[in-house]
Tab-separated table of all heavy atoms in Angstrom:
chain	number	residue	atom	x	y	z
A	276	GLY	N	1.164	1.628	21.571
A	276	GLY	CA	1.719	0.378	21.482
A	276	GLY	C	2.804	0.087	22.517
A	276	GLY	O	3.286	1.016	23.220
A	277	TRP	N	3.213	-1.211	22.489
A	277	TRP	CA	4.327	-1.530	23.396
A	277	TRP	C	5.378	-2.258	22.457
A	277	TRP	O	4.973	-3.163	21.592
A	277	TRP	CB	3.928	-2.609	24.388
A	277	TRP	CG	2.982	-2.007	25.471
A	277	TRP	CD1	1.674	-1.828	25.562
A	277	TRP	CD2	3.507	-1.355	26.764
A	277	TRP	NE1	1.229	-1.263	26.665
A	277	TRP	CE2	2.372	-0.892	27.471
A	277	TRP	CE3	4.764	-1.119	27.195
A	277	TRP	CZ2	2.465	-0.284	28.637
A	277	TRP	CZ3	4.902	-0.560	28.491
A	277	TRP	CH2	3.685	-0.085	29.120
A	278	PHE	N	6.594	-1.962	22.582
A	278	PHE	CA	7.714	-2.509	21.934
A	278	PHE	C	8.621	-3.142	23.066
A	278	PHE	O	8.483	-2.883	24.270
A	278	PHE	CB	8.513	-1.559	21.172
A	278	PHE	CG	7.856	-0.953	19.964
A	278	PHE	CD1	6.725	-0.093	20.154
A	278	PHE	CD2	8.249	-1.291	18.758
A	278	PHE	CE1	6.144	0.426	19.041
A	278	PHE	CE2	7.592	-0.741	17.596
A	278	PHE	CZ	6.564	0.115	17.690
A	279	ARG	N	9.414	-4.100	22.652
A	279	ARG	CA	10.474	-4.612	23.545
A	279	ARG	C	11.759	-4.818	22.778
A	279	ARG	O	11.862	-4.982	21.616
A	279	ARG	CB	9.961	-5.886	24.203
A	279	ARG	CG	9.851	-7.066	23.215
A	279	ARG	CD	9.168	-8.330	23.876
A	279	ARG	NE	9.135	-9.493	23.075
A	279	ARG	CZ	8.513	-10.569	23.445
A	279	ARG	NH1	7.914	-10.710	24.642
A	279	ARG	NH2	8.364	-11.532	22.551
A	280	GLN	N	12.801	-4.847	23.667
A	280	GLN	CA	14.159	-5.017	23.091
A	280	GLN	C	14.903	-5.956	24.039
A	280	GLN	O	15.210	-5.516	25.147
A	280	GLN	CB	14.919	-3.728	22.866
A	280	GLN	CG	16.255	-3.923	22.149
A	280	GLN	CD	16.763	-2.556	21.668
A	280	GLN	OE1	16.424	-1.532	22.196
A	280	GLN	NE2	17.656	-2.693	20.758
A	281	ALA	N	15.121	-7.117	23.521
A	281	ALA	CA	16.055	-8.145	24.276
A	281	ALA	C	17.511	-7.950	24.035
A	281	ALA	O	17.835	-7.386	22.938
A	281	ALA	CB	15.526	-9.499	23.989
A	282	PRO	N	18.385	-8.363	24.966
A	282	PRO	CA	19.770	-8.355	24.742
A	282	PRO	C	20.146	-8.901	23.364
A	282	PRO	O	19.813	-10.098	23.018
A	282	PRO	CB	20.445	-9.056	25.738
A	282	PRO	CG	19.346	-8.997	26.914
A	282	PRO	CD	18.062	-9.050	26.176
A	283	GLY	N	20.976	-8.171	22.570
A	283	GLY	CA	21.388	-8.614	21.288
A	283	GLY	C	20.393	-8.563	20.117
A	283	GLY	O	20.720	-9.011	18.985
A	284	LYS	N	19.181	-8.073	20.419
A	284	LYS	CA	18.223	-8.115	19.411
A	284	LYS	C	17.632	-6.662	19.143
A	284	LYS	O	17.843	-5.723	20.016
A	284	LYS	CB	16.916	-8.908	19.847
A	284	LYS	CG	17.293	-10.455	19.952
A	284	LYS	CD	16.122	-11.331	20.150
A	284	LYS	CE	16.402	-12.770	20.315
A	284	LYS	NZ	15.269	-13.562	20.514
A	285	LYS	N	17.063	-6.513	18.047
A	285	LYS	CA	16.421	-5.213	17.677
A	285	LYS	C	15.169	-5.038	18.349
A	285	LYS	O	14.471	-6.033	18.749
A	285	LYS	CB	16.258	-5.113	16.197
A	285	LYS	CG	17.584	-5.070	15.389
A	285	LYS	CD	17.360	-4.851	13.874
A	285	LYS	CE	18.688	-4.720	13.178
A	285	LYS	NZ	18.418	-4.511	11.684
A	286	ARG	N	14.717	-3.845	18.536
A	286	ARG	CA	13.400	-3.534	19.127
A	286	ARG	C	12.371	-4.033	18.269
A	286	ARG	O	12.387	-3.846	17.017
A	286	ARG	CB	13.305	-1.990	19.350
A	286	ARG	CG	12.107	-1.677	20.143
A	286	ARG	CD	12.065	-0.141	20.451
A	286	ARG	NE	13.247	0.253	21.258
A	286	ARG	CZ	13.398	1.429	21.728
A	286	ARG	NH1	12.564	2.431	21.606
A	286	ARG	NH2	14.449	1.717	22.436
A	287	GLU	N	11.283	-4.669	18.801
A	287	GLU	CA	10.243	-5.219	18.048
A	287	GLU	C	8.925	-4.800	18.607
A	287	GLU	O	8.770	-4.560	19.871
A	287	GLU	CB	10.258	-6.779	18.131
A	287	GLU	CG	10.042	-7.470	19.421
A	287	GLU	CD	9.991	-8.944	19.336
A	287	GLU	OE1	9.794	-9.447	18.188
A	287	GLU	OE2	10.042	-9.554	20.437
A	288	LEU	N	7.964	-4.706	17.776
A	288	LEU	CA	6.575	-4.369	18.163
A	288	LEU	C	5.929	-5.592	18.924
A	288	LEU	O	6.060	-6.723	18.483
A	288	LEU	CB	5.730	-3.947	17.010
A	288	LEU	CG	4.220	-3.719	17.319
A	288	LEU	CD1	4.120	-2.464	18.156
A	288	LEU	CD2	3.496	-3.552	16.006
A	289	VAL	N	5.376	-5.317	20.053
A	289	VAL	CA	4.677	-6.450	20.812
A	289	VAL	C	3.222	-6.353	20.653
A	289	VAL	O	2.561	-7.456	20.314
A	289	VAL	CB	5.014	-6.282	22.312
A	289	VAL	CG1	4.257	-7.396	23.064
A	289	VAL	CG2	6.529	-6.491	22.583
A	290	ALA	N	2.679	-5.214	20.777
A	290	ALA	CA	1.201	-5.003	20.606
A	290	ALA	C	0.912	-3.578	20.244
A	290	ALA	O	1.625	-2.737	20.673
A	290	ALA	CB	0.426	-5.467	21.925
A	291	HIS	N	-0.270	-3.321	19.509
A	291	HIS	CA	-0.620	-2.107	19.118
A	291	HIS	C	-2.078	-1.964	19.217
A	291	HIS	O	-2.820	-2.934	18.941
A	291	HIS	CB	-0.125	-1.845	17.745
A	291	HIS	CG	-0.385	-0.468	17.335
A	291	HIS	ND1	-1.470	-0.093	16.494
A	291	HIS	CD2	0.360	0.739	17.411
A	291	HIS	CE1	-1.414	1.292	16.311
A	291	HIS	NE2	-0.358	1.799	16.785
A	292	ILE	N	-2.622	-0.791	19.531
A	292	ILE	CA	-4.023	-0.525	19.581
A	292	ILE	C	-4.287	0.826	19.017
A	292	ILE	O	-3.661	1.836	19.402
A	292	ILE	CB	-4.620	-0.629	21.072
A	292	ILE	CG1	-6.136	-0.451	21.037
A	292	ILE	CG2	-3.924	0.286	21.954
A	292	ILE	CD1	-6.824	-0.867	22.340
A	293	THR	N	-5.145	0.914	18.109
A	293	THR	CA	-5.424	2.090	17.318
A	293	THR	C	-6.552	2.904	18.167
A	293	THR	O	-7.095	2.465	19.201
A	293	THR	CB	-6.107	1.939	16.003
A	293	THR	OG1	-7.405	1.298	16.075
A	293	THR	CG2	-5.174	0.987	15.153
A	294	SER	N	-6.753	4.195	17.778
A	294	SER	CA	-7.770	5.095	18.344
A	294	SER	C	-9.145	4.402	18.376
A	294	SER	O	-10.007	4.800	19.219
A	294	SER	CB	-7.769	6.490	17.797
A	294	SER	OG	-7.980	6.374	16.392
A	295	SER	N	-9.397	3.669	17.351
A	295	SER	CA	-10.720	3.013	17.218
A	295	SER	C	-10.715	1.667	17.889
A	295	SER	O	-11.845	0.937	17.865
A	295	SER	CB	-11.080	2.835	15.771
A	295	SER	OG	-10.145	1.920	15.135
A	296	GLY	N	-9.802	1.239	18.551
A	296	GLY	CA	-9.700	-0.012	19.212
A	296	GLY	C	-9.238	-1.221	18.516
A	296	GLY	O	-9.300	-2.382	19.083
A	297	ARG	N	-8.714	-1.070	17.350
A	297	ARG	CA	-8.162	-2.147	16.536
A	297	ARG	C	-6.806	-2.608	17.165
A	297	ARG	O	-6.016	-1.838	17.393
A	297	ARG	CB	-8.047	-1.875	15.037
A	297	ARG	CG	-7.501	-2.994	14.135
A	297	ARG	CD	-7.564	-2.568	12.691
A	297	ARG	NE	-8.878	-2.389	12.309
A	297	ARG	CZ	-9.135	-1.879	10.997
A	297	ARG	NH1	-8.216	-1.738	10.181
A	297	ARG	NH2	-10.367	-1.708	10.749
A	298	ILE	N	-6.718	-3.914	17.440
A	298	ILE	CA	-5.601	-4.463	18.213
A	298	ILE	C	-4.802	-5.453	17.333
A	298	ILE	O	-5.370	-6.290	16.579
A	298	ILE	CB	-6.030	-5.155	19.505
A	298	ILE	CG1	-6.683	-4.034	20.378
A	298	ILE	CG2	-4.885	-5.823	20.105
A	298	ILE	CD1	-7.334	-4.725	21.564
A	299	SER	N	-3.456	-5.448	17.382
A	299	SER	CA	-2.647	-6.395	16.844
A	299	SER	C	-1.580	-6.822	17.800
A	299	SER	O	-1.189	-6.068	18.656
A	299	SER	CB	-1.997	-5.899	15.570
A	299	SER	OG	-1.234	-4.739	15.832
A	300	TYR	N	-1.102	-8.104	17.597
A	300	TYR	CA	-0.093	-8.682	18.486
A	300	TYR	C	0.982	-9.336	17.610
A	300	TYR	O	0.580	-9.893	16.523
A	300	TYR	CB	-0.597	-9.675	19.455
A	300	TYR	CG	-1.596	-9.217	20.333
A	300	TYR	CD1	-2.960	-9.384	20.267
A	300	TYR	CD2	-1.264	-8.570	21.643
A	300	TYR	CE1	-3.963	-8.923	21.106
A	300	TYR	CE2	-2.104	-8.094	22.449
A	300	TYR	CZ	-3.499	-8.262	22.264
A	300	TYR	OH	-4.419	-7.774	23.149
A	301	THR	N	2.190	-9.357	18.194
A	301	THR	CA	3.156	-10.175	17.479
A	301	THR	C	2.959	-11.650	17.864
A	301	THR	O	2.467	-11.921	18.872
A	301	THR	CB	4.622	-9.779	17.933
A	301	THR	OG1	5.608	-10.465	17.189
A	301	THR	CG2	4.861	-10.088	19.346
A	302	ASP	N	3.268	-12.530	16.943
A	302	ASP	CA	2.886	-13.990	17.118
A	302	ASP	C	3.346	-14.576	18.388
A	302	ASP	O	2.526	-15.301	19.050
A	302	ASP	CB	3.407	-14.759	15.993
A	302	ASP	CG	2.609	-14.617	14.678
A	302	ASP	OD1	1.541	-14.140	14.658
A	302	ASP	OD2	3.109	-14.889	13.646
A	303	PRO	N	4.494	-14.369	18.919
A	303	PRO	CA	4.960	-14.911	20.103
A	303	PRO	C	4.186	-14.579	21.386
A	303	PRO	O	4.221	-15.468	22.345
A	303	PRO	CB	6.494	-14.444	20.297
A	303	PRO	CG	6.894	-14.112	18.925
A	303	PRO	CD	5.717	-13.571	18.283
A	304	VAL	N	3.478	-13.510	21.390
A	304	VAL	CA	2.717	-13.161	22.560
A	304	VAL	C	1.213	-13.351	22.361
A	304	VAL	O	0.439	-13.129	23.395
A	304	VAL	CB	3.013	-11.638	23.045
A	304	VAL	CG1	4.481	-11.453	23.011
A	304	VAL	CG2	2.323	-10.615	22.066
A	305	ARG	N	0.719	-13.556	21.270
A	305	ARG	CA	-0.638	-13.716	20.952
A	305	ARG	C	-1.286	-14.859	21.790
A	305	ARG	O	-0.811	-15.879	21.872
A	305	ARG	CB	-0.881	-13.944	19.526
A	305	ARG	CG	-2.412	-13.869	19.112
A	305	ARG	CD	-2.650	-13.904	17.611
A	305	ARG	NE	-2.127	-12.783	16.905
A	305	ARG	CZ	-1.085	-12.761	16.098
A	305	ARG	NH1	-0.318	-13.860	15.951
A	305	ARG	NH2	-0.562	-11.702	15.529
A	306	GLY	N	-2.379	-14.430	22.535
A	306	GLY	CA	-3.042	-15.416	23.368
A	306	GLY	C	-2.448	-15.321	24.780
A	306	GLY	O	-3.119	-15.874	25.686
A	307	ARG	N	-1.364	-14.646	25.103
A	307	ARG	CA	-0.843	-14.447	26.387
A	307	ARG	C	-0.867	-12.987	26.932
A	307	ARG	O	-1.066	-12.764	28.117
A	307	ARG	CB	0.636	-15.007	26.427
A	307	ARG	CG	0.773	-16.482	26.180
A	307	ARG	CD	2.189	-16.902	26.396
A	307	ARG	NE	3.108	-16.313	25.485
A	307	ARG	CZ	4.133	-15.608	25.891
A	307	ARG	NH1	4.195	-15.368	27.150
A	307	ARG	NH2	4.922	-14.993	25.019
A	308	PHE	N	-0.713	-12.067	25.988
A	308	PHE	CA	-0.729	-10.723	26.320
A	308	PHE	C	-2.057	-9.995	25.855
A	308	PHE	O	-2.548	-10.409	24.812
A	308	PHE	CB	0.489	-10.020	25.669
A	308	PHE	CG	1.859	-10.430	26.142
A	308	PHE	CD1	2.063	-11.462	27.095
A	308	PHE	CD2	2.962	-9.723	25.728
A	308	PHE	CE1	3.349	-11.760	27.498
A	308	PHE	CE2	4.248	-9.953	26.222
A	308	PHE	CZ	4.402	-11.096	27.073
A	309	THR	N	-2.364	-9.005	26.576
A	309	THR	CA	-3.576	-8.199	26.193
A	309	THR	C	-3.208	-6.743	26.384
A	309	THR	O	-2.788	-6.320	27.417
A	309	THR	CB	-4.732	-8.596	27.123
A	309	THR	OG1	-4.984	-9.912	27.067
A	309	THR	CG2	-5.922	-7.771	26.623
A	310	ILE	N	-3.421	-5.968	25.321
A	310	ILE	CA	-3.194	-4.577	25.304
A	310	ILE	C	-4.618	-3.920	25.506
A	310	ILE	O	-5.623	-4.343	24.888
A	310	ILE	CB	-2.447	-4.031	24.044
A	310	ILE	CG1	-2.193	-2.558	24.207
A	310	ILE	CG2	-3.345	-4.224	22.797
A	310	ILE	CD1	-1.260	-1.987	23.119
A	311	SER	N	-4.632	-2.752	26.225
A	311	SER	CA	-5.867	-2.060	26.383
A	311	SER	C	-5.574	-0.615	26.626
A	311	SER	O	-4.378	-0.282	26.952
A	311	SER	CB	-6.757	-2.574	27.570
A	311	SER	OG	-5.983	-2.556	28.787
A	312	ARG	N	-6.521	0.192	26.637
A	312	ARG	CA	-6.321	1.664	26.830
A	312	ARG	C	-7.525	2.281	27.549
A	312	ARG	O	-8.583	1.742	27.527
A	312	ARG	CB	-6.132	2.399	25.551
A	312	ARG	CG	-7.386	2.343	24.561
A	312	ARG	CD	-6.964	2.824	23.210
A	312	ARG	NE	-6.786	4.281	23.206
A	312	ARG	CZ	-6.157	4.899	22.138
A	312	ARG	NH1	-5.805	4.305	21.136
A	312	ARG	NH2	-6.048	6.188	22.213
A	313	ASP	N	-7.106	3.383	28.336
A	313	ASP	CA	-8.213	4.130	29.057
A	313	ASP	C	-7.960	5.516	28.572
A	313	ASP	O	-7.008	6.260	29.186
A	313	ASP	CB	-8.037	3.979	30.532
A	313	ASP	CG	-9.074	4.584	31.277
A	313	ASP	OD1	-9.722	5.621	30.770
A	313	ASP	OD2	-9.337	4.143	32.464
A	314	ASN	N	-8.672	5.984	27.664
A	314	ASN	CA	-8.500	7.341	27.158
A	314	ASN	C	-8.702	8.444	28.239
A	314	ASN	O	-8.060	9.436	28.154
A	314	ASN	CB	-9.474	7.637	25.948
A	314	ASN	CG	-9.098	6.715	24.828
A	314	ASN	OD1	-7.958	6.394	24.551
A	314	ASN	ND2	-10.086	6.486	23.967
A	315	ALA	N	-9.608	8.240	29.137
A	315	ALA	CA	-9.901	9.211	30.202
A	315	ALA	C	-8.633	9.413	31.089
A	315	ALA	O	-8.450	10.548	31.582
A	315	ALA	CB	-11.036	8.836	31.011
A	316	LYS	N	-7.867	8.409	31.199
A	316	LYS	CA	-6.666	8.449	31.972
A	316	LYS	C	-5.343	8.634	31.170
A	316	LYS	O	-4.263	8.671	31.768
A	316	LYS	CB	-6.509	7.243	32.899
A	316	LYS	CG	-7.637	7.096	33.811
A	316	LYS	CD	-7.447	5.736	34.634
A	316	LYS	CE	-8.616	5.633	35.782
A	316	LYS	NZ	-8.378	4.446	36.520
A	317	ASN	N	-5.479	8.760	29.855
A	317	ASN	CA	-4.321	8.830	28.984
A	317	ASN	C	-3.344	7.661	29.163
A	317	ASN	O	-2.158	7.887	29.315
A	317	ASN	CB	-3.623	10.167	28.990
A	317	ASN	CG	-4.439	11.273	28.388
A	317	ASN	OD1	-5.238	10.981	27.499
A	317	ASN	ND2	-4.123	12.503	28.858
A	318	THR	N	-3.895	6.421	29.343
A	318	THR	CA	-3.025	5.359	29.785
A	318	THR	C	-3.313	4.175	28.921
A	318	THR	O	-4.354	3.919	28.425
A	318	THR	CB	-3.431	4.914	31.228
A	318	THR	OG1	-3.105	5.981	32.083
A	318	THR	CG2	-2.648	3.796	31.681
A	319	VAL	N	-2.236	3.464	28.583
A	319	VAL	CA	-2.240	2.204	27.962
A	319	VAL	C	-1.576	1.115	28.743
A	319	VAL	O	-0.658	1.353	29.543
A	319	VAL	CB	-1.455	2.240	26.494
A	319	VAL	CG1	-0.036	2.634	26.739
A	319	VAL	CG2	-1.714	0.995	25.803
A	320	TYR	N	-2.224	-0.062	28.672
A	320	TYR	CA	-1.866	-1.151	29.585
A	320	TYR	C	-1.368	-2.407	28.728
A	320	TYR	O	-1.738	-2.586	27.583
A	320	TYR	CB	-2.987	-1.655	30.464
A	320	TYR	CG	-3.572	-0.630	31.363
A	320	TYR	CD1	-4.800	0.119	30.976
A	320	TYR	CD2	-3.027	-0.251	32.650
A	320	TYR	CE1	-5.296	1.043	31.661
A	320	TYR	CE2	-3.640	0.701	33.372
A	320	TYR	CZ	-4.802	1.340	32.914
A	320	TYR	OH	-5.404	2.299	33.740
A	321	LEU	N	-0.552	-3.152	29.305
A	321	LEU	CA	-0.175	-4.509	28.671
A	321	LEU	C	-0.215	-5.510	29.758
A	321	LEU	O	0.686	-5.552	30.697
A	321	LEU	CB	1.197	-4.363	28.083
A	321	LEU	CG	1.658	-5.639	27.383
A	321	LEU	CD1	0.714	-5.832	26.046
A	321	LEU	CD2	3.065	-5.631	26.958
């Protein structure tokens, strides 16, 4: 997953993807951000 922390705010979850590919987003980024993963490269993207 990806988290973010803005000045003066607590760290929040932005997006998460499970090993089976189930994805969730926080409401402010839904429709604008896309999380994906490449297991062969051990990489997650946002």
Side-chain angles (χ1 to χ4, degrees):
W277 290 92
F278 291 72
R279 68 185 181 186
Q280 188 166 19
K284 296 185 178 181
K285 294 183 177 181
R286 188 174 299 186
E287 66 172 351
L288 177 67
V289 177
H291 185 266
I292 183 168
T293 69
S294 59
S295 63
R297 182 175 296 175
I298 295 171
S299 61
Y300 299 99
T301 188
D302 287 341
V304 311
R305 189 172 292 111
R307 298 186 297 119
F308 291 9
T309 302
I310 189 171
S311 61
R312 61 190 291 165
D313 186 336
N314 291 332
K316 297 181 179 180
N317 285 336
T318 299
V319 60
Y320 305 95
L321 185 68

